[in-house]
């Protein structure tokens, strides 16, 4: 029985991946190398400092910790320039109706995101009040695929993990939710997220019952 939903943020509620990409690319370019959109796929759901490590690897750079902190701050300042322009127009299709459907059924709603900018993002798009519990990169100590973020979400809501369903766009996020023992829905393609219980391309036209039917039909462990 589903008692709680836990949503990833970037790529599920809003498409901020494009802004992370622009900011990381600007940083890579400032260090003298390029960073492709394909490389950017590896960063989905990955924390800011781990993302920086991946980018520095691509550019073949080894830097000391103090410089790395400065670069991460610089990237975040560039990212915030985009984030500050966001409005509710950037909520992904079907998300608002889906959140309403979940709430109407008396099912709880939490956020489980790696981002340290999650609260600000939800405020910018006007969705902050929909989430009873927000677990983000300011609260976790371990990154996805570790299940910590989703376990903390379930705990915050007071719901057993087996009664939770997670919505995730990143392969590492799907793995995290499965490790937490939760129903797991991938938002994206079967090729990237085939390990989820079911995969949908977007929430458009779907309610919680439709999604549970898909999960049960696939009958994956
Ligand atoms: P920040 P999610 C993740 O959010 C993004 O997918 C990932 O690309 C980003 O590096 C990470 O948040 C950290 O974000 O720099 O804002 O703290 O998908 O887990 O909601
Ligand atoms: Mg995501």
């Amino acid at each position: 029985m589903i008692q709680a939903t836990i949503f990833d943020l970037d790529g599920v509620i809003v498409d901020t991946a494009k802004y992370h990409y622009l900011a990381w690319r600007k940083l890579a370019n400032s260090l003298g190398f390029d960073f492709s959109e394909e490389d950017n796929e590896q960063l989905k759901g990955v924390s800011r400092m781990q993302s920086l490590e991946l980018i520095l690897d691509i550019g073949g750079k080894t830097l000391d910790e103090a410089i790395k902190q400065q670069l991460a701050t610089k990237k975040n300042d560039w990212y915030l320039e985009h984030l500050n322009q966001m409005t509710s127009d950037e909520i992904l299709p079907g998300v608002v109706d889906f959140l309403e459907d979940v709430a109407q059924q008396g099912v709880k709603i939490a956020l489980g995101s790696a981002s340290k900018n999650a609260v600000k993002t939800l405020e910018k798009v006007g969705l902050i009040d929909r989430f009873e519990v927000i677990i983000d990169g300011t609260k976790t100590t371990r990154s996805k695929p570790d299940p910590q973020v989703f376990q903390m979400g379930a705990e915050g809501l007071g719901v057993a993990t087996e009664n939770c369903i997670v919505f995730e766009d990143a392969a590492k996020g799907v793995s995290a939710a499965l490790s937490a023992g939760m129903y797991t829905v991938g938002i994206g393609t079967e090729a990237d997220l085939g390990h989820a219980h079911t995969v949908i391309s977007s929430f458009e036209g779907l309610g919680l019952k439709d999604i549970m039917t898909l999960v049960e039909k696939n009958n994956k462990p």
Side-chain angles (χ1 to χ4, degrees):
M1 193 188 44
I2 293 300
Q3 295 174 344
T5 50
I6 308 180
F7 293 80
D8 173 55
L9 178 65
D10 293 335
V12 171
I13 305 283
V14 284
D15 179 16
T16 38
K18 60 188 178 208
Y19 301 136
H20 282 295
Y21 172 61
L22 290 173
W24 283 126
R25 188 171 187 214
K26 193 166 171 178
L27 189 79
N29 290 170
S30 75
L31 295 170
F33 62 94
D34 206 6
F35 171 61
S36 71
E37 272 192 79
E38 206 183 349
D39 294 330
N40 193 53
E41 281 301 302
Q42 296 172 46
L43 307 190
K44 281 189 179 171
V46 175
S47 73
R48 193 179 309 165
M49 288 313 286
Q50 282 181 325
S51 299
L52 177 64
E53 297 291 352
L54 286 167
I55 285 164
L56 294 176
D57 268 1
I58 290 166
K61 303 271 177 199
T62 312
L63 301 170
D64 70 38
E65 204 45 46
I67 302 283
K68 284 196 262 190
Q69 290 295 340
Q70 283 172 20
L71 294 178
T73 302
K74 205 174 188 185
K75 179 268 173 180
N76 195 51
D77 289 345
W78 285 328
Y79 175 72
L80 289 177
E81 286 174 15
H82 296 286
L83 187 57
N84 284 327
Q85 304 296 319
M86 282 182 85
T87 67
S88 59
D89 289 350
E90 294 188 58
I91 299 171
L92 286 166
V95 166
V96 172
D97 286 347
F98 188 74
L99 289 171
E100 257 155 39
D101 178 61
V102 170
Q104 261 173 24
Q105 292 180 52
V107 173
K108 295 178 178 213
I109 300 176
L111 192 85
S113 166
S115 177
K116 292 185 168 163
N117 295 302
V119 167
K120 191 181 180 99
T121 308
L122 289 175
E123 281 170 352
K124 289 302 292 180
V125 301
L127 289 178
I128 190 89
D129 295 338
R130 311 275 181 138
F131 293 84
E132 191 174 328
V133 164
I134 294 178
I135 307 296
D136 62 15
T138 66
K139 295 183 176 154
T140 54
T141 52
R142 299 189 295 277
S143 286
K144 299 166 188 177
D146 189 284
Q148 185 192 36
V149 66
F150 298 126
Q151 287 165 338
M152 287 174 77
E155 210 175 291
L157 291 172
V159 172
T161 51
E162 65 266 29
N163 296 325
C164 294
I165 184 164
V166 170
F167 301 94
E168 249 298 344
D169 72 310
K172 289 187 181 88
V174 165
S175 302
L178 292 171
S179 295
M182 298 179 180
Y183 289 101
T184 308
V185 179
I187 316 291
T189 65
E190 193 71 39
D192 292 332
L193 308 172
H195 50 318
H197 292 116
T198 193
V199 180
I200 56 174
S201 56
S202 90
F203 286 106
E204 222 167 1
L206 295 173
L208 184 58
K209 287 203 173 103
D210 302 312
I211 289 184
M212 282 319 292
T213 305
L214 290 172
V215 166
E216 276 150 19
K217 202 163 73 190
N218 278 348
N219 200 24
K220 287 188 201 168

